[in-house]
């Protein structure tokens, strides 16, 4: 069974059932010791793009927003049994031409890695996809506040909605996580690993 380790802030690691290791927006916390097969970066802010942190396998693939937006469109990648689909991510602090989210499909699980964003037009199409997990930023400074992130969770309708990126300069803020009221809330703390 695949697992997700929340490292803190906007960083997390997925390990598939066949032991493929994926890091998303490496920056915070611990747990960069498993050699990476794939690293996904949503944008080039320094709290999302520390690709030097994870140990890497010789054939490690790195996909950034530059690859995801190549040719002026949101691209989809098939690599090592994983599907990575770039989707919209933007707000007043993040330009739509320099930031993406990803829908990652692994072991039959679909996970929305939103990056730093506010509500996007594309989100209204996600409910029909019956996503399993949506990880949504909610610091209220660089991205959505708790109210907007909760509304996005309701709009997306994932089986589980996980609040992340809750406070600038901190791995986590439990009080803010508990004030996230989105549908199917799942609070995951830094260092906690869940089965997907």
């Amino acid at each position: 069974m695949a697992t997700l380790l929340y490292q803190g802030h906007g960083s997390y690691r997925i390990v598939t059932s066949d032991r493929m290791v994926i890091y998303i927006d490496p920056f915070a916390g611990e747990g960069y010791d498993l050699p990476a097969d794939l690293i996904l970066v949503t944008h080039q802010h320094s709290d999302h793009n520390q690709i030097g942190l994870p140990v890497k396998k010789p054939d490690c693939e790195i996909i950034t927003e530059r690859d995801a937006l190549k040719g002026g469109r949101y691209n989809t990648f098939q690599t090592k049994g994983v599907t990575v689909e770039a989707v919209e991510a933007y707000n007043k602090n993040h330009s739509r031409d320099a930031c993406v989210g990803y829908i990652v499909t692994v072991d039959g699980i679909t996970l929305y890695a939103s990056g730093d964003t506010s509500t996007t037009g594309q989100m209204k199409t996600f409910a029909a996809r019956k996503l399993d997990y949506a990880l949504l930023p909610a610091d209220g400074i660089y991205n959505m506040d708790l109210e907007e992130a909760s509304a996005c969770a309701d709009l997306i309708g994932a089986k589980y909605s996980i609040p992340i990126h809750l406070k600038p300069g901190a791995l986590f803020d439990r009080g803010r996580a508990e004030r996230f009221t989105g549908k199917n809330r799942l609070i995951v703390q830094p260092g906690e690993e869940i089965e997907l």
Side-chain angles (χ1 to χ4, degrees):
M1 181 170 284
T3 60
L4 181 144
L5 170 70
Y6 179 45
Q7 293 161 298
H9 192 61
S11 305
Y12 38 103
R13 181 188 77 198
I14 297 168
V15 179
T16 71
S17 60
D18 62 358
R19 306 301 296 162
M20 180 179 171
V21 178
I22 306 165
Y23 291 94
I24 300 176
D25 281 352
F27 164 70
E30 304 294 329
Y32 293 100
D33 54 319
L34 297 181
D37 292 280
L38 176 62
I39 300 173
L40 303 178
V41 174
T42 61
H43 62 290
Q44 292 301 315
H45 287 174
S46 62
D47 60 335
H48 290 262
N49 70 351
Q50 299 304 307
I51 61 172
L53 280 176
V55 176
K56 296 171 195 65
K57 291 184 179 170
D59 63 345
C60 176
E61 187 170 351
I62 299 170
I63 298 172
T64 73
E65 79 291 343
R66 295 178 188 117
D67 309 299
L69 291 170
K70 198 169 198 171
R73 66 180 194 279
Y74 293 94
N75 294 300
T76 298
F77 307 85
Q78 302 279 346
T79 181
K80 303 176 183 180
V82 174
T83 302
V84 178
E85 177 188 348
V87 296
E88 295 175 340
Y90 54 83
N91 59 27
K92 64 182 181 181
N93 299 300
H94 299 85
S95 168
R96 69 172 62 227
D97 62 359
C99 189
V100 297
Y102 297 107
I103 294 178
V104 180
T105 304
V106 57
D107 291 348
I109 301 292
T110 51
L111 181 143
Y112 172 41
S114 61
D116 276 2
T117 194
S118 294
T119 308
T120 71
Q122 211 172 17
M123 285 180 185
K124 65 184 177 216
T125 69
F126 291 172
R129 299 183 65 167
K130 301 187 182 324
L131 302 177
D132 293 294
Y133 294 87
L135 289 90
L136 299 169
D139 69 21
I141 297 170
Y142 297 106
N143 44 58
M144 300 183 278
D145 61 18
L146 289 165
E147 183 179 5
E148 185 180 359
S150 297
C152 284
D154 293 344
L155 177 66
I156 293 164
K159 191 181 293 184
Y160 300 101
S161 297
I162 302 174
I164 63 168
H165 204 305
L166 291 161
K167 184 177 181 181
L171 285 181
F172 186 67
D173 186 309
R174 180 80 195 195
R176 288 186 61 79
E178 290 177 354
R179 292 197 307 276
F180 174 85
T181 60
K183 186 184 295 183
N184 305 322
R185 178 186 77 184
L186 175 62
I187 295 176
V188 182
Q189 299 193 112
E192 185 178 352
E193 191 168 37
I194 61 170
E195 290 186 346
L196 298 177

